Amino acid sequence: MWVSLASALPLLVAVAAFPSKNREHKVKELVTPPPGWTIHAPAPSDHVLKLRIGLPQSNFAALEAHLYEISDPYHERYGAHLSKEDVEELVAPRPESTGAVTEWLASHGIREDDIGRSPAGDWLTLRIPVALVEKMLDTKYHVWTHMGRGESIVRTTSYSLPQSLHEHIELIQPTTLFGTFKKLKSTIHSINEVDAIVQPQDFSPPGLESAGVTVDASCNSTITITCLKEIYNAVGYTPTAKGNSIGITGYLGENANRADLQTFYEDQVPAAAAVNSTFEFISVAGGLDSQNASEAGGEANLDVQFAFGLSFPVPSTFFSTAGSPPFVPDIGTPEDTNEPYTDWLDFMLSHPSPPLAISTSYGDDEQTVPESFARRACAGFAQLGARGVSLMVSSGDGGVGDGNPDPATQQCITNDGRNRTRFIPGFPASCPFVTAVGGTVFFPEQAIDFSGGGFSNFFDRPRYQDDAVEDFLEKLPKGTYRGLFNRKGRAIPDVAAQSNFFRVFVGGRAFHIGGTSASSPAFTGFVALLNDGRLSKGLPPLGFLNPLLYSKAKSGFNDITVGNNPGCGTPGFNATKGWDAVTGLGTPDFGKLLELVT
């Protein structure tokens, strides 16, 4: 008898996970694997899992209230950021949760010295074999392989806990997380050596004067530090304040090459080249930063060159976090660590002085991340924001779709077992505690077609977005994309910046690189300059940006009204007057923003 894929999926999940027959256990989480993932084989019993157990944070609601007060430019507490200790006190689990979970672990032979605890005690980490994890969680792990990418991970689709522990454990991973945390470098506009780039034949460069801003004509085919400062009204500004800092996150074995940075500085920031400026490297969980020219990373080099080039001489740090899919199940690999994002969050939350502005150009389709995990990671971003850190994240390169390079063939199918067609937002851009950065191109600027945008299916729209997003939704023709997106969800992106033709040096050669992975570090560079302006006047750093951007600072953006972001077989959303789901509030006018924030 023929069985449809849709009807077979629930059966597949049941078979894959072997849901509990133990009456003392109750299912904690159950997911349908995202499209493309199939079972390769049972997980080896001696395969080691780095198990992370999240305990409920006792007073996160209070932390969130603090965050919104200190991020509201009209509140009397604006800028009164919390200390590391203040934050940890608010998110520490209740003693009864700590005790119950510790007792449960001990019943399985796990001693206290086998357990790693986060500074707040809200995360427990241990390394144990699959056989023991399967017994503890009353489940069955398999090696799953992605048919299109060939990546493999060890996962289950369901796990159970003793009923008495459900109130004391928020989530356990790796269990149901099928995301692979990809780089957000555009797959539509590929990386090209500069000499090989040819402009489309029908492209006629627009005029390069707009609203009193003059930009060199070359900026319509090559983006440099000079171009960005011209386009965004920052020519002549040099940071001078002490206490400032900027950071770039690196994952998936991406190496930031110092020799390439020097070549970039010689090409675009001669003042930095003159003093042989470089960045501090910090390894997270064993992350490396090879300086072999053949191993230089296009993503990492793009990020550090433009973020640090724009903000020079602000002290800069490149964080490399270990962990890179795919896991290769056939070579006896003892451990697969392909969730590096949580390792980075652990490290940053334990760091006494994290950089004040940080850019991330990596992410997943939101639906490949279990909601419990997404919410817990998002809570980590809130903790950093409460401590005065501004977090920027690329909005993604799939328009309203799933990142497929051909927006006309994106399937955009939900993985909730119902196989509905739906727009695919990205995570962590969908977290309301980060600033999601979309993309533009040319000057005068227009939205670039791959700019990730849309509405979260996990997170409700935060109140700071209400007015701007409601205006946008009211302008949509009635019934537009009905059922394809969540009108009440957190809207993406918040802002935008140039995102194509960035002149980047990789392995000693010049390339043009595009993607919102360029927009985020560029915008972050300007945030570091704004922090300099505040620090130089004795004011605290900006911290969590969004409440400021949507209120007092919204007049400091260039409104983008041309372009759209197709995906899922649709034209996507249109850039329009005011906020839109392609370019957000628009691109920064640094001069105006500096006046508004200082």
Side-chain angles (χ1 to χ4, degrees), residues 48-111:
V48 175
L49 289 172
K50 180 181 178 182
L51 204 66
R52 295 173 52 83
I53 303 173
L55 279 56
Q57 297 170 330
S58 60
N59 212 355
F60 181 77
L63 182 139
E64 187 175 13
H66 282 296
L67 176 63
Y68 278 119
E69 287 182 0
I70 63 181
S71 304
D72 179 355
Y74 299 113
H75 197 281
E76 62 184 2
R77 293 186 62 211
Y78 180 61
H81 306 304
L82 303 184
S83 69
K84 175 177 179 289
E85 292 72 24
D86 291 336
V87 168
E88 290 169 358
E89 184 177 350
L90 289 169
V91 301
R94 293 177 293 124
E96 50 266 41
S97 293
T98 301
V101 175
T102 301
E103 182 179 347
W104 172 62
L105 294 176
S107 73
H108 288 280
I110 298 170
R111 302 167 302 178

Side-chain angles (χ1 to χ4, degrees), residues 17 177 211 297 365 374 382 400 403 444 511 523:
L177 175 59
D365 294 341
V400 295
F511 290 80
F523 188 86

Side-chain angles (χ1 to χ4, degrees), residues 257-282:
N257 189 274
R258 295 176 187 272
D260 285 336
L261 180 63
Q262 291 305 312
T263 303
F264 175 83
Y265 282 160
E266 290 168 4
D267 184 64
Q268 300 184 34
V269 193
V275 295
N276 200 33
S277 179
T278 191
F279 53 84
E280 179 183 4
F281 168 66
I282 294 182

Side-chain angles (χ1 to χ4, degrees), residues 213-216 218-220 222-237 264 268-269 302-311 437-443 445 496-504 513 515 517-526 529 558 587-591:
V213 177
T214 300
V215 175
D216 191 277
S218 64
C219 298
N220 263 334
T222 298
I223 290 294
T224 64
I225 295 294
T226 298
C227 287
L228 292 174
K229 288 189 174 183
E230 289 179 352
I231 294 170
Y232 299 135
N233 191 21
V235 174
Y237 187 89
F264 175 83
Q268 300 184 34
V269 193
L302 163 67
D303 294 350
V304 303
Q305 288 172 21
F306 275 88
F308 302 162
L310 280 166
S311 60
V437 187
T440 62
V441 68
F442 304 139
F443 186 83
E445 292 183 273
Q498 289 279 319
S499 62
N500 209 6
F501 310 130
F502 277 54
R503 180 175 169 84
V504 179
I513 299 182
S517 58
S519 311
S520 182
F523 188 86
T524 303
F526 288 107
L529 297 184
N558 308 306
T587 60
D589 183 318
F590 174 77

